[in-house]
């Protein structure tokens, strides 16, 4: 009896401690969920000025901490040097080597005293090109098909369903280039011609370029298709400003990979020529302002979640940094500017040779050019085979005469 009374307070105390622990645990979970929703989902993003300055400082520190392995200031001529010696021709007269100071002197350009240029004519050309691109995109809707194929390509995550493009706006304004200045670049990759020339120009675009998509997030755990969450996103580029860096990378000749692998090749190795290219990139202090609109859910929808906007913005900045922000560059090979007949366009000529008809049907012109090239190759191959056959037949007749013991007689001699 006394033992039962003694155990009763202990049981009450244990049940009370269990209840307190259970309530405290539930309260902690509720506080954590509330803090997560408040600060992670509905937290106020930093201002665009603060974000831009922070990203620019991070890019500058990253570039200074790591040595540039590939830079726009690197000249490919140093990498293209080889031990192969090509004898100069006595027919083609080579002018004196044109170094960077000589080029600046002949073009009357003083990099220290020349004022920055406005580039108004360049803005007009770029605006015409962009306007034509927008017109072509609206006519055949090729951009819609291309974006749909890219978004639903092999790089699409497995937890996303098919992505549908719901909105495309290519904008109405044009980028403005200004404050262009040319200066030589002094670095460790300076070639024998001296420091290379590089152009810096400021670019500013204030427009509204929008891409909207619809998709669904599929939860495949603990079993496939456990839950499906509809998501709608619309990303708009509001403003882009930065400094564009442009330079020319001259062509270079280097041994072909096959000749390098074969060490038994003679000294005259075949050369592989890299074409002249245009390299461009943006300096790390660029600024990109975007606006992200989001809608998550089917019935109880969450609109414009700040964290989703930050994730999309960080991903877009990373995509740009990995492609065209120094020390990375975009390199575009330049076509040959030598005048060619197949590139001639214009009205019919007075001589009636048909050259002026070029350009009336570009597809037909290309087909005719390709057909003529194929016929020329076939004709050369046929002539080569005929010569080889004739030489082989003559050689066979000579050996046959020697085998019969009659000796070899010159054609046209009198019989003995």
């Amino acid at each position: 009896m006394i033992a039962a009374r003694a155990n009763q307070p202990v049981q009450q105390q244990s049940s009370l401690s269990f209840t307190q622990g259970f309530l405290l645990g539930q309260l902690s979970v509720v506080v954590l969920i509330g803090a997560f929703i408040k600060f992670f989902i509905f937290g106020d993003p930093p201002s665009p000025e603060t974000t831009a300055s922070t990203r620019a400082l991070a890019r500058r520190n990253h570039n200074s901490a790591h040595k540039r392995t590939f830079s726009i200031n690197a000249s490919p001529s140093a990498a293209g040097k080889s031990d192969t010696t090509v004898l100069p021709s006595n027919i083609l007269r080579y002018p004196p080597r044109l170094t960077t100071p000589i080029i600046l002197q002949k073009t009357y350009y003083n990099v220290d005293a020349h004022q920055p240029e406005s580039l108004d004519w360049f803005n007009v050309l770029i605006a015409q090109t962009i306007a034509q691109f927008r017109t072509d995109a609206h006519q055949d809707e090729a951009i819609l098909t291309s974006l749909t194929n890219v978004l639903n390509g092999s790089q699409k995550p497995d937890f996303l369903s098919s992505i549908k493009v719901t909105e495309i706006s290519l904008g109405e304004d044009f980028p403005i280039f200004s404050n262009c200045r040319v200066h030589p670049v002094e670095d460790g990759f300076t070639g024998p011609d001296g420091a290379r020339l590089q152009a810096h120009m400021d670019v500013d675009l204030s427009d509204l370029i929008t891409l909207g998509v619809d998709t669904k997030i599929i939860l495949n755990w603990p079993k496939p298709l456990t839950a499906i969450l509809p998501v709608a996103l619309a990303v708009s580029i509001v403003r882009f400003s930065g400094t564009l860096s442009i330079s020319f990378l001259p062509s270079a000749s280097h041994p072909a990979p096959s000749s390098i692998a074969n060490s038994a090749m003679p000294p005259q190795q075949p050369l592989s020529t890299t074409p002249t290219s245009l390299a461009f990139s943006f300096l790390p202090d660029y600024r990109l302002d975007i606006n992200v609109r989001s809608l998550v859910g089917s019935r109880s929808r969450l609109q414009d979640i700040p964290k989703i906007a930050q994730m999309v913005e960080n991903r877009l900045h990373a995509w740009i940094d990995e492609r065209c922000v120094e020390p990375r560059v975009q390199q575009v090979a330049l076509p040959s500017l030598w005048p060619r007949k197949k590139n001639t366009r214009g009205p019919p000529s007075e001589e009636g040779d048909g050259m002026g008809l070029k350009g009336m049907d570009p597809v037909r012109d290309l087909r005719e050019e390709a057909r003529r090239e194929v016929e020329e190759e076939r004709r050369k191959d046929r002539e080569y085979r005929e010569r080889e056959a004739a030489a082989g037949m003559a050689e066979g007749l000579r050996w046959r005469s020697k085998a019969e013991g009659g000796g070899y007689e010159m054609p046209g001699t009198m019989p003995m």
Side-chain angles (χ1 to χ4, degrees):
M1 196 75 178
I2 297 175
R5 291 178 179 177
N7 293 332
Q8 186 174 1
V10 176
Q11 295 177 355
Q12 293 178 356
Q13 184 177 1
S14 62
S15 62
L16 183 61
S17 61
F18 173 76
T19 304
Q20 292 176 351
F22 178 77
L23 294 178
L24 182 61
Q26 295 294 324
L27 182 61
S28 302
V29 172
V30 171
V31 171
L32 290 177
I33 294 177
F36 175 80
I37 294 176
K38 179 179 180 180
F39 296 103
F40 185 78
I41 298 181
F42 296 102
D44 294 332
S47 61
E49 291 78 7
T50 304
T51 304
S53 60
T54 304
R55 286 199 174 95
L57 181 61
R59 295 190 198 98
R60 197 175 298 110
N61 294 335
H62 177 76
N63 294 340
S64 60
H66 297 81
K67 183 180 180 180
R68 294 185 176 184
T69 58
F70 178 78
S71 175
I72 191 174
N73 303 327
S75 176
S77 59
K81 292 182 179 180
S82 63
D83 297 335
T84 303
T85 303
V86 180
L87 296 178
S89 175
N90 295 326
I91 301 176
L92 182 61
R93 302 298 180 91
Y94 287 93
R97 182 181 294 273
L98 295 177
T99 60
T100 299
I102 295 178
I103 294 176
L104 294 176
Q105 181 182 1
K106 290 181 177 295
T107 54
Y108 307 101
Y109 194 98
N110 188 352
V111 295
D112 298 326
H114 199 282
Q115 296 295 327
E117 301 179 10
S118 61
L119 294 179
D120 294 337
W121 62 273
F122 187 69
N123 293 328
V124 174
L125 294 181
I126 293 296
Q128 290 179 346
T129 305
I130 296 177
Q132 184 62 39
F133 168 75
R134 290 171 178 171
T135 302
D136 297 341
H138 285 90
Q139 286 181 356
D140 53 5
E141 296 185 354
I143 187 173
L144 177 60
T145 305
S146 302
L147 285 176
T148 304
N149 295 334
V150 169
L151 294 176
N152 293 278
S154 59
Q155 297 182 354
K156 183 175 67 68
D158 297 334
F159 58 85
L160 292 181
S161 64
S162 60
I163 301 176
K164 179 182 178 182
V165 180
T166 58
E167 180 183 1
I168 296 178
S169 176
L170 300 179
E172 299 178 355
D173 293 328
F174 305 100
I176 301 299
F177 295 86
S178 61
N179 195 22
C180 179
R181 56 272 185 199
V182 178
H183 58 87
V185 179
E186 296 284 354
D187 56 7
F189 301 94
T190 302
D193 297 339
R196 296 191 311 110
L197 296 177
Q198 191 176 71
H200 284 176
M201 60 188 73
D202 298 335
V203 56
D204 189 7
L205 174 63
S206 297
D207 204 348
L208 192 63
I209 303 175
T210 305
L211 174 63
V213 296
D214 277 349
T215 186
K216 295 179 181 179
I217 299 178
I218 302 175
L219 183 61
N220 295 323
W221 188 86
K223 60 181 181 178
L225 299 177
T226 301
I228 297 177
L229 183 64
V231 177
L233 286 177
V235 182
S236 301
I237 297 178
V238 180
R239 183 185 178 186
F240 177 84
S241 61
T243 302
L244 178 64
S245 177
I246 299 178
S247 67
F248 287 98
L249 302 180
S251 60
S253 299
H254 51 84
S258 58
S259 63
I260 296 177
N262 189 2
S263 59
M265 291 293 291
Q268 294 293 336
Q269 298 178 355
L271 297 179
S272 175
T273 302
T274 303
T276 303
S277 59
L278 176 68
F280 68 92
S281 66
F282 293 97
L283 298 187
D285 57 350
Y286 76 93
R287 176 177 175 179
L288 177 64
D289 296 340
I290 65 175
N291 181 24
V292 180
R293 293 174 288 131
S294 60
L295 195 62
V296 181
S298 56
R299 296 181 179 178
S300 300
R301 295 190 173 186
L302 299 178
Q303 186 175 0
D304 298 339
I305 301 177
K307 273 302 173 181
I308 294 181
Q310 292 182 12
M311 294 171 59
V312 173
E313 186 174 359
N314 293 335
R315 183 57 184 168
L316 187 57
H317 276 275
W319 187 88
I320 297 176
D321 294 343
E322 293 173 358
R323 285 163 174 79
C324 55
V325 176
E326 284 194 352
R328 297 177 176 86
V329 299
Q330 285 292 315
Q331 189 170 341
V332 181
L334 297 179
S336 176
L337 300 180
W338 189 261
R340 303 183 66 180
K341 183 177 179 181
K342 67 177 183 179
N343 296 330
T344 304
R345 302 292 185 269
S349 60
E350 297 179 357
E351 291 79 2
D353 55 355
M355 292 181 59
L357 297 178
K358 289 278 188 176
M360 303 304 293
D361 191 354
V363 178
R364 185 181 61 185
D365 295 341
L366 293 177
R367 289 177 180 174
E368 290 294 331
E369 187 73 19
R371 184 181 61 81
R372 285 193 294 268
E373 291 179 359
V374 172
E375 291 179 354
E376 184 68 19
E377 291 293 334
R378 290 179 178 176
R379 185 183 62 81
K380 292 180 179 180
D381 186 62
R382 184 169 58 253
E383 292 177 355
Y384 175 77
R385 291 182 180 179
E386 290 177 356
R387 289 195 301 267
E388 290 292 330
M393 184 178 298
E395 188 68 21
L397 291 176
R398 294 191 187 100
W399 282 102
R400 185 180 303 172
S401 299
K402 292 181 180 180
E404 293 176 354
Y408 177 74
E409 296 179 356
M410 291 295 294
T413 59
M414 297 296 293
M416 300 297 295

